[in-house]
């Protein structure tokens, strides 16, 4: 069978009789209770996702520029950063003091051992 014969055969077929519902039986278009439950669950999930996204978006800074962010930062954040810097400076000064004290302690430890 050639392509022309196939096309002629498809075109020459009789149309579907008008009493045929076209695959639409008596239950066509009806939904079961399971469909309703799924629809409600999806709606609840969307509500929770929107709430979560809103919370995360509120945490974002107004601007990602460092200068603008520093100017817009609340005083609490600035105090926390200052306290962190002070603690790091104290830890560094203690580390220097320990490194200076270790040689003298090491000499004392050697003198005390028999």
């Amino acid at each position: 069978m050639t392509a022309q014969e196939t096309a002629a055969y498809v075109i020459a077929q009789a149309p579907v009789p008008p009493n045929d519902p076209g695959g639409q039986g008596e239950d066509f278009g009806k939904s079961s209770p399971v469909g309703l439950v799924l629809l409600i669950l999806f709606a609840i999930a969307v509500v929770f996702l929107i709430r979560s996204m809103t919370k995360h978006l509120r945490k974002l800074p107004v601007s990602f520029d460092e200068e603008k962010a520093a100017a817009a930062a609340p005083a609490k954040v600035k105090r926390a950063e200052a306290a962190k810097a002070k603690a790091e400076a104290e830890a560094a000064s203690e580390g220097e003091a320990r490194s200076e004290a270790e040689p003298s302690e090491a000499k004392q430890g050697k003198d005390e051992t028999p």
Side-chain angles (χ1 to χ4, degrees):
M1 196 179 252
T2 65
Q4 289 178 345
E5 291 174 352
T6 306
Y9 178 73
V10 170
I11 293 172
Q13 286 184 351
V16 179
N19 61 358
D20 183 22
Q24 297 179 1
E26 65 181 66
D27 290 336
F28 181 78
K30 295 181 180 175
S31 178
S32 68
V34 175
L36 177 65
V37 170
L38 284 175
L39 185 64
I40 292 171
L41 288 176
F42 285 140
I44 292 171
V46 167
V47 168
F48 281 114
L49 286 172
I50 290 172
R51 287 181 60 200
S52 175
M53 182 179 58
T54 304
K55 287 179 185 178
H56 285 287
L57 286 175
R58 286 183 187 155
K59 292 179 184 178
L60 287 177
V62 175
S63 174
F64 289 104
D65 294 333
E66 290 183 20
E67 295 173 2
K68 290 181 181 177
K76 183 186 266 187
V77 174
K78 290 181 181 178
R79 284 190 300 241
E81 290 174 355
K84 183 179 178 182
K86 183 178 178 183
E88 289 175 357
E90 288 177 357
S93 65
E94 288 178 7
E96 291 174 5
R98 287 183 184 166
S99 63
E100 292 174 0
E102 286 177 2
S104 61
E105 290 175 1
K107 289 179 185 176
Q108 291 175 355
K110 289 180 183 176
D111 294 338
E112 293 177 3
T113 55

